[in-house]
Amino acid sequence: MKLKKVLFIIIILAVLFSGVIVYRHISAPGEENITDEKIIPDSIKEVEIYYVESEAEDGGITAKEAQELCLEVLGDIAPETGFPISYRCISAVSAKEKLYYVMHISWLVNETHWSYIGNCFVSSDGNEIYDGIADSSGYEMTELRWRIKQ
């Protein structure tokens, strides 16, 4: 009985291992295999806000201007609830070879309290806004929400 279990495990491992070999074999020349790719979960690095604002002198925007851009582009009222929306810069990051302000988005619920509803990332040049997540585990930029037409 033990021999059957051992053989079964060996067969399962052999099938799994052969799948990796087949995948590596069918990858196009010059392409990296997913098994060889180095995935860096913390590819978004936090930087000081003053560093990003110092770049604003070279044609970028300040954190205050990023807040104003969010109000202009994303709006100051939530269409689904009618609640006023607020944007506040909470940090800054470097990602995709660019600098971004990380904005905390809240809405005023029934004129009683502000409630967090999400985050967005505003590029320091003022040309892009990404949806995303900023929490204790790190930062994640999810999808492009707006880009200036050039």
Side-chain angles (χ1 to χ4, degrees):
M1 188 66 158
K2 281 187 176 183
L3 183 60
K4 286 183 181 180
K5 285 183 182 179
V6 171
L7 287 174
F8 179 74
I9 291 172
I10 290 172
I11 291 171
I12 295 296
L13 289 174
V15 168
L16 290 174
F17 183 69
S18 68
V20 171
I21 292 171
V22 168
Y23 176 79
R24 287 175 180 259
H25 179 71
I26 62 173
S27 294
E31 287 185 5
E32 277 190 68
N33 293 316
I34 195 161
T35 54
D36 294 338
E37 188 175 328
K38 293 180 182 176
I39 299 170
I40 303 168
D42 58 346
S43 61
I44 300 175
K45 304 284 187 199
E46 188 168 2
V47 297
E48 297 293 330
I49 293 173
Y50 73 83
Y51 174 74
V52 180
E53 287 194 314
S54 71
E55 297 291 312
E57 296 170 4
D58 297 329
I61 62 174
T62 64
K64 177 80 171 141
E65 290 168 326
Q67 177 182 341
E68 292 167 359
L69 181 63
C70 287
L71 284 168
E72 180 183 326
V73 172
L74 305 177
D76 60 351
I77 302 289
E80 58 273 89
T81 62
F83 295 161
I85 296 179
S86 166
Y87 305 91
R88 180 174 49 94
C89 183
I90 59 169
S91 62
V93 296
S94 170
K96 302 180 181 188
E97 300 178 14
K98 284 181 118 178
L99 298 171
Y100 294 85
Y101 294 104
V102 181
M103 308 303 286
H104 179 97
I105 309 169
S106 300
W107 57 15
L108 182 60
V109 179
N110 297 325
E111 298 182 19
T112 60
H113 66 280
W114 287 98
S115 181
Y116 165 80
I117 57 172
N119 297 98
C120 66
F121 295 76
V122 179
S123 64
S124 64
D125 60 9
N127 292 338
E128 301 171 337
I129 299 176
Y130 281 83
D131 282 331
I133 301 165
D135 60 24
S136 60
S137 65
Y139 300 96
E140 181 181 348
M141 295 171 68
T142 54
E143 65 182 87
L144 182 65
R145 185 150 182 198
W146 173 85
R147 177 176 284 146
I148 196 165
K149 293 180 182 174
Q150 295 180 1

